Amino acid sequence: MAWEIVVGVETHAQLRTRSKMFSGASTAFGAAPNTQACAVDIALPGVLPVVNSAAVAHALRFGLAVGAAINRRSVFARKNYFYPDLPKGYQISQYEIPIVAGGALKIVLPTGEKTVRLTRAHLEEDAGKSLHEDFQGMTGIDLNRAGTPLLEIVTEPDLRGAKEAVAYARTLHALLRWIGVCDGNMQEGSFRCDANVSVRKAGDDQLGTRCEIKNLNSFLFMEQAIEFEARRQIEVLEGGGRIAQETRLYDADRGETRSMRSKEDAHDYRYFPDPDLLPLVISDEMLAQARASLPELPEARRGKLVASYGLSPVQADLLTQSIETSSYAIAAFEGAPQARWPDMANWICGPLSAKLNESNLDIGASRVAAAELRRLAQKVEDGTLSGKMVKEVLDAVWAGEGGVDEVIGKRGLQQISDAGAIGEIVDEVLANNAKQVEDYRGGKDKAFNSLVGQVMKATQGRANPAQVNEILKAKLLR
Ligand code: ADP
Ligand code: MG
């Protein structure tokens, strides 16, 4: 009987603010250890936290972007636990009443669109960091992260398997960057996911017991961790065992999850409203400002790319991974032959994005301007270039050899579309390959491809492939 894998994801997104959630200390990454935690961040006696209004504005923008309800009055609570990176003994979070409730995110899968329901999103502060390297058997503590503003975003257990969970995480990551609330830098810990994984027999309506895999900071690790964990659970269950609800860690070097601790229940944390903080009240004005500051959202732009530009949902999804990429694409499409839009989308997602990655550049700094991509499309449309030549021209423009026209001129890249010229070359190839001609006429279709190859070779790949096919066929029939 088939197993179904069920995943719910909790994401910690660091909000893009200059100062901490409740203090004026800097959030800049990379400072010397323990130089950016002030008295408020470590709750020394006599200090009072003050809510960072920029963090609240970001939370509102996110809530509106996912169509959630905004709680006009939310409450900060203390989550009490001991850990070396939390010397104050509690984390300020939101518990019973979060700022954002519900909402949904649409993700694009190879099989179509899927709506993932969100449970909530709440504001909280980050803890410090334990450092295990460089301390010879001891642990170092860096409190710079203490008090850093986070938005924790929780899904319903709507995801089925590792691929869907990763598609969700990518879509969320793109949205947060798109609306400017999180820089999304995963190496620096600005976007971390916990995956809750359980399995059940297909058709069961009860959820299985889940394990929570903490702190996945790459999409690849997330996929591997969920896949490993689901397989582990299935093996346990098929062996007649039971799943213990627990918190696990993914060891990327060994490709496996390991038990970290048994799962604590909410009551273990002794949540209570933080007596130092008043309830957070959202005014009409704050809400209106948040709404006015939102750009067109990725989902709307995706829809436009499909409806107005004829792209597939998967292409549109790739182009809306960032606001800059989608704007570049639309700028390039405008004035380009409509029939070439899907090709252009592929050039952006394929060779161009490979070049950008290689040089670690954002698309805004692309060495192939949107106008050059448009020119490329025009040159394919008017038959000057074959699809095969596109990459060569793109690479040459990238390398600084000039614009599309200049590169075509300098490299003599004209496609040969002259039927007479192609016909002559075909005649020559047929004369020199009597054996293949005979094979083809004797029913060996493969011989045809070999003949096409010969013609392409003789023209250094410049012959119009459709014409080559047509002319070859006609001549072979005789
Ligand atoms: P906690 O805050 O203790 O981690 P929650 O009940 O708030 O627990 O759930 C956290 C996440 O776990 C949510 O994303 C939820 O969808 C997911 N989840 C809950 N039950 C299951 C389950 N049986 N299988 C997979 N995911 C689950
Ligand atoms: Mg959890």
Side-chain angles (χ1 to χ4, degrees):
M1 217 213 221
W3 291 92
E4 181 176 57
I5 301 166
V6 176
V7 185
V9 177
E10 296 163 275
T11 303
H12 290 92
Q14 177 175 335
L15 296 171
R16 260 181 58 187
T17 62
R18 285 162 52 198
S19 59
K20 300 264 175 91
M21 187 65 228
F22 301 107
S23 82
S26 168
T27 53
F29 182 83
N34 299 307
T35 56
Q36 280 179 182
C38 74
V40 175
D41 303 329
I42 56 175
L44 292 183
V47 299
L48 282 176
V50 176
V51 174
N52 182 330
S53 61
V56 174
H58 283 326
L60 294 177
R61 289 151 64 82
F62 174 75
L64 294 171
V66 294
I70 303 294
N71 281 322
R72 300 295 287 266
R73 182 182 165 284
S74 61
V75 175
F76 287 105
R78 289 189 183 177
K79 180 179 182 179
N80 301 280
Y81 65 94
F82 170 77
Y83 207 68
D85 65 14
L86 189 75
K88 72 185 200 184
Y90 63 90
Q91 175 194 26
I92 306 176
S93 182
Q94 295 189 308
Y95 181 54
E96 276 169 350
I97 314 182
I99 183 166
V100 173
L105 198 62
K106 275 201 186 128
I107 62 176
V108 178
L109 301 170
T111 47
E113 260 191 4
K114 168 165 180 156
T115 300
V116 181
R117 292 169 302 157
L118 301 179
T119 314
R120 58 188 273 155
H122 62 254
L123 285 164
E124 63 181 29
E125 58 175 349
D126 208 348
K129 202 172 177 208
S130 302
L131 307 168
H132 303 292
E133 281 146 35
D134 307 329
F135 288 93
Q136 285 95 31
M138 295 184 288
T139 294
I141 302 291
D142 177 8
L143 295 175
N144 281 353
R145 283 198 82 90
T148 296
L150 302 178
L151 189 65
E152 176 170 338
I153 302 153
V154 184
T155 74
E156 292 291 300
D158 280 354
L159 298 155
R160 298 290 171 267
K163 290 236 155 44
E164 278 191 21
V166 170
Y168 161 78
R170 283 187 184 279
T171 306
L172 178 65
H173 183 254
L175 174 67
L176 291 167
R177 286 168 38 106
W178 187 290
I179 61 176
V181 307
C182 172
D183 69 19
N185 190 323
M186 295 174 86
Q187 281 93 49
E188 294 180 4
S190 300
F191 183 93
R192 289 120 60 189
C193 291
D194 303 340
N196 294 268
V197 181
S198 65
V199 298
R200 63 179 173 188
K201 290 277 172 68
D204 270 8
D205 46 10
Q206 295 266 338
L207 292 174
T209 304
R210 72 181 148 122
C211 288
E212 178 173 10
I213 316 164
K214 282 275 183 204
N215 269 330
L216 298 162
N217 65 351
S218 95
F219 297 124
L220 178 66
F221 292 166
M222 184 173 185
E223 184 171 338
Q224 292 172 344
I226 294 171
E227 256 159 22
F228 175 88
E229 178 59 19
R231 233 179 299 125
R232 184 191 71 85
Q233 291 183 15
I234 291 167
E235 268 169 36
V236 169
L237 293 170
E238 287 188 338
R242 296 181 58 177
I243 303 298
Q245 183 168 328
E246 60 186 0
T247 302
R248 301 177 69 90
L249 276 185
Y250 181 61
D251 180 338
D253 293 332
R254 307 176 65 157
E256 60 187 35
T257 64
R258 263 206 308 276
S259 180
M260 186 180 161
R261 53 174 189 254
S262 71
K263 171 84 187 157
E264 50 295 279
D265 283 316
H267 64 248
D268 294 331
Y269 289 117
R270 303 293 192 271
Y271 279 100
F272 62 84
D274 192 309
D276 288 343
L277 287 158
L278 289 169
L280 177 61
V281 175
I282 306 302
S283 66
D284 292 346
E285 200 191 340
M286 288 172 81
L287 206 54
Q289 263 176 17
R291 193 168 276 126
S293 71
L294 282 178
E296 181 184 34
L297 296 173
E299 197 183 311
R301 197 161 273 188
R302 221 157 57 210
K304 201 182 274 177
L305 287 170
V306 172
S308 311
Y309 294 94
L311 303 189
S312 72
V314 171
Q315 284 179 316
D317 188 42
L318 286 170
L319 289 182
T320 49
Q321 287 308 300
S322 81
I323 199 166
E324 294 81 10
T325 304
S326 68
S327 301
Y328 176 97
I330 289 171
F333 292 162
E334 285 309 316
Q338 195 168 333
R340 296 295 152 205
W341 288 339
D343 292 339
M344 294 169 79
N346 290 341
W347 302 340
I348 297 172
C349 300
L352 183 61
S353 98
K355 282 288 175 198
L356 292 165
N357 282 340
E358 247 170 54
S359 349
N360 205 10
L361 287 174
D362 288 331
I363 195 152
S366 170
R367 294 193 198 131
V368 179
E372 291 302 327
L373 205 79
R374 182 183 318 126
R375 189 76 186 132
L376 203 50
Q378 288 162 348
K379 287 296 175 188
V380 172
E381 185 66 10
D382 72 11
T384 309
L385 293 178
S386 72
K388 279 216 167 104
M389 296 168 166
V390 166
K391 192 179 172 308
E392 180 179 348
V393 177
L394 201 82
D395 286 354
V397 174
W398 181 275
E401 282 182 33
V404 168
D405 290 322
E406 213 180 330
V407 167
I408 292 172
K410 274 193 200 159
R411 295 199 172 201
L413 283 173
Q414 288 281 357
Q415 174 173 244
I416 305 172
S417 300
D418 171 351
I422 295 176
E424 277 172 32
I425 298 163
V426 168
D427 285 338
E428 215 171 286
V429 167
L430 293 182
N432 294 335
N433 292 277
K435 169 93 173 58
Q436 263 109 327
V437 173
E438 201 180 301
D439 285 353
Y440 176 78
R441 289 187 172 139
K444 282 194 189 155
D445 288 345
K446 266 199 199 143
F448 185 76
N449 295 337
S450 151
L451 291 168
V452 172
Q454 300 276 351
V455 177
M456 294 311 282
K457 198 170 153 204
T459 59
Q460 280 115 39
R462 283 156 53 225
N464 181 321
Q467 278 179 309
V468 172
N469 269 290
E470 200 179 306
I471 294 170
L472 248 179
K473 272 207 180 111
K475 291 198 186 261
L476 280 165
L477 274 179
R478 267 181 246 143

